[in-house]
Structure formats: structure tokens, C-alpha cells
Amino acid sequence: MFSEENPKRLAQVALVALLIIGCIAVLLPFIGAVLFAFVVWACTWPLYSEKLLPRLGGRDTIGASLMTLLLVLVMLLPMVFLAGSLANGADKLIDFAKPYVDQGLPLDPPAWLSGLPFFGVEIDNFWHQVASNRDELNALLKQFIAPLRQFALALGGIAANGLLQLALVLFVIFFLYRDGAKVSHALYVGARKLGGDLGEEILDKTRGTVVGVMFGIVGTAAAQGAVAMIGFLIAGVPGAILLGFATFFLSMIPIGPPLIWGGAAAWLYGQDQNGWAIFMALYGLLIISSIDNFVKPILIARGSGISILLIALGVLGGVLVFGFIGIFLGPVLLALGHMLLSRWTREEDPA
């Protein structure tokens, strides 16, 4: 009897394994967007289910539509506005550089450029050499055109891919809101069947860690954007509000904010406002960037209930392994591993 059922069981296991592999292969190109949609859904589900849905009389479709529209206003529109502002700035930069390309460089460089310490004399000599020879200027421009074109294409591809991924996130999250009660119930039933009480504890720990990481990242980004905007306004940098939004979005990247406040400091120095340039550099280094180094781990640790060391290792290792979504996956995996290790090494009560 056992020999007759054994091939059938093997066939069933193989069929289930093939089905799982096929589902993973189909979803693999979208796995980042789907996981991020689950992250946003887990963080905003209490707001949706406890605040919005009861006021709509439990109508899931209308509630999911309104919540998705709110996320579009919060997540998608600022990125479109920022992209349009960057494109406008690129057009202004092209208009500024076009006369120099058509007519050539002036014979004398700006005073601030030739007055730079250590490199001012070399820059002045190179400027005179290029400005006095049209062919050499054309050759120099040709050297920069191809890399700049490749950089612009790569940047455009990244921006387009980011907008596409975000649109997919919003599409997926609509169905998560609409069927959220069923999805949540299915997750708890599956966790209970797989691990009993431990499975439910793992699921609760996962949600708590994800919410804590999300709270830390968004809270830190908002703090950096607000503090940066104040600094830009104090220093008189044009477009302070736009630069504050750019700091908010780029705070997800470790070297993002220094690109903004460093560029502002360079612009102030180019306008012969050396004092404000020094202020902007010190303000960015000591205040804007320090928020990311100190506030983010504290916020994440308080929100998720795990140590700052695990948060730091999880974020850094997760980004290296999984990319952007690793910001959430890394701390979650370490938190679950820490919880399982603590349960395994916990001494049982003799009573």
C-alpha cells in the first residue's frame, strides 16, 4: 500500500513545487513593487480600516479608491513636480551654456575661479589656453558630450523606471485595500497553520518591524527636508522649497542630501557669498546629514522594538543584497532571526 501511494505523493510534491516556481518566475520582475506595496499597505491599514472605512459604511471599493487617490497625491504628484522642475532647470542650464558654445569662452575666467586656493593658477592657465583656441575648445566639448549624453539617458531611464514602479505599487495597493480583510485573515490563518502561536508572533513581529522602519525612514526624510528648507531660506538660496522637497526624496539615498546642500554651497561660493557658502556647508554637514546618522536609527529602533545595532546592520546589508526594498527586508529578517534565537536560548521556568 505504501509503495503504491509513494509515487503519487512524489508527483503531488513535484507539482506543487513546479507551481510555486512558476508563480515566483511570473512575479519576479515585479517582486520589488509588490513587496513595497505590502509595506505601504501594512503601515496604512489601521488608518484605512479604523478611520476611513467606517465612515464610508464599509464600502471597500470606494474606500480603496479614495485611499489610493490619497497616496497618488502624497507619493506620485511630488515626484512629477520635482521631475518637471529638474527638466526646467536643465533647460535653463542649456540656455546659459549655449552662448559660450556658440561664441566661445571669455578670455579671462571669473575672479572666484582663478582665486581658488591650490588650483587657481592651474585653472587660470588652462582657461586661457582653451579660450584662445577654438579648436581646442571644440575638442574639449566633444569629450564631455558623450558621457553627459549617457548620463542623461541613464538618469532618464532611472526616473522612468521609478515612476513605472510607483504606478505598479499604487495599482497593487488598491486591491490590497479592497480585499485587505481577506488578505489579513489569510496571512494569520497561514501563519497559524505553519507555526502555531510562533507563526502568529512572527507575523506580528514582521508588521511591527516594517512599520517601525517605515516610520523611521519617512520621519527622518521629513525632518531632513524641513531642516534643509530652513537652511536654504536663511542662506538666501533660490528655490528653497523645491530643494527641500528634493532633500526629502533623496534622503532615501545615503549620499542624496549632500548633493543638494553641497550644490547650494557651491552656488553661494560662485556668487561671491563666501560667508554664506561656509555656513551652508557647515549647516549641511553638522545638522542636515547628522539627522540621518543619529535620528533614523533611534526612530526605527523605538518603532520596531529592536536594537539600533540590528537596525544599522539590517539596513546596510539589506540595501547591498536587495536594493531599495532591502531597507525594509534587512531589518525584518534580522528582527525575526533575533526573536527565534531568543526563544531558542530562553531558559524555561523550572516551575
Side-chain angles (χ1 to χ4, degrees):
M1 186 69 178
F2 178 77
S3 60
E4 294 179 358
E5 291 184 354
N6 195 37
K8 183 185 293 186
R9 290 183 179 180
L10 289 177
Q12 292 174 346
V13 170
L15 183 61
V16 172
L18 289 176
L19 181 60
I20 294 175
I21 294 174
C23 292
I24 293 176
V26 170
L27 294 176
L28 191 59
F30 317 108
I31 193 67
V34 173
L35 288 176
F36 189 67
F38 269 93
V39 167
V40 177
W41 170 70
C43 295
T44 57
W45 176 251
L47 174 65
Y48 170 75
S49 61
E50 298 174 6
K51 302 293 183 181
L52 180 61
L53 198 58
R55 297 185 179 183
L56 297 174
R59 288 174 286 188
D60 296 331
T61 303
I62 298 177
S65 301
L66 291 177
M67 198 67 183
T68 306
L69 180 61
L70 178 62
L71 290 178
V72 168
L73 296 176
V74 173
M75 299 172 60
L76 191 59
L77 283 186
M79 291 189 65
V80 174
F81 174 74
L82 181 60
S85 300
L86 292 176
N88 187 27
D91 292 338
K92 292 182 178 179
L93 182 61
I94 292 174
D95 294 338
F96 173 79
K98 188 175 181 180
Y100 296 103
V101 176
D102 296 336
Q103 304 172 10
L105 296 174
L107 294 179
D108 295 323
W112 67 269
L113 190 60
S114 58
L116 289 175
F118 304 110
F119 306 104
V121 177
E122 288 77 5
I123 292 175
D124 185 77
N125 294 332
F126 180 73
W127 184 286
H128 283 94
Q129 180 182 354
V130 173
S132 60
N133 191 336
R134 182 70 181 182
D135 295 334
E136 189 165 352
L137 176 61
N138 293 334
L140 182 64
L141 291 175
K142 289 180 180 179
Q143 293 179 0
F144 286 101
I145 287 176
L148 286 176
R149 185 180 298 164
Q150 294 178 358
F151 176 76
L153 291 175
L155 189 63
I158 293 174
N161 182 64
L163 290 175
L164 181 62
Q165 292 285 337
L166 188 55
L168 182 59
V169 167
L170 295 172
F171 176 75
V172 172
I173 206 170
F174 167 81
F175 296 96
L176 290 177
Y177 284 132
R178 193 192 67 176
D179 305 323
K182 297 178 181 178
V183 173
S184 179
H185 178 71
L187 288 175
Y188 274 98
V189 169
R192 194 182 303 114
K193 287 184 176 180
L194 288 175
D197 294 337
L198 178 61
E200 291 189 13
E201 186 178 353
I202 289 177
L203 193 60
D204 291 333
K205 188 70 173 180
T206 299
R207 183 184 178 279
T209 305
V210 167
V211 172
V213 173
M214 191 71 170
F215 173 75
I217 291 174
V218 175
T220 304
Q224 281 190 301
V227 170
M229 188 184 302
I230 293 173
F232 296 144
L233 290 172
I234 294 174
V237 179
I241 298 178
L242 174 63
L243 293 177
F245 274 108
T247 305
F248 170 79
F249 284 108
L250 292 180
S251 65
M252 311 291 178
I253 308 172
I255 62 170
L259 295 177
I260 305 298
W261 60 256
W267 181 87
L268 290 169
Y269 186 80
Q271 298 297 317
D272 293 330
Q273 301 183 32
N274 298 335
W276 285 116
I278 295 174
F279 163 79
M280 194 72 250
L282 293 176
Y283 185 86
L285 182 63
L286 300 177
I287 297 181
I288 299 177
S289 293
S290 65
I291 292 176
D292 183 71
N293 297 329
F294 298 103
V295 176
K296 181 186 289 184
I298 295 175
L299 289 178
I300 296 177
R302 290 187 61 182
S304 59
I306 59 178
S307 68
I308 295 179
L309 176 61
L310 288 180
I311 289 295
L313 294 177
V315 170
L316 294 176
V319 170
L320 293 176
V321 176
F322 301 105
F324 175 76
I325 195 65
I327 296 176
F328 306 96
L329 291 183
V332 167
L333 292 176
L334 289 186
L336 296 180
H338 178 263
M339 185 191 68
L340 292 176
L341 182 63
S342 299
R343 288 177 63 95
W344 183 59
T345 57
R346 184 186 305 163
E347 295 183 357
E348 295 185 0
D349 189 357

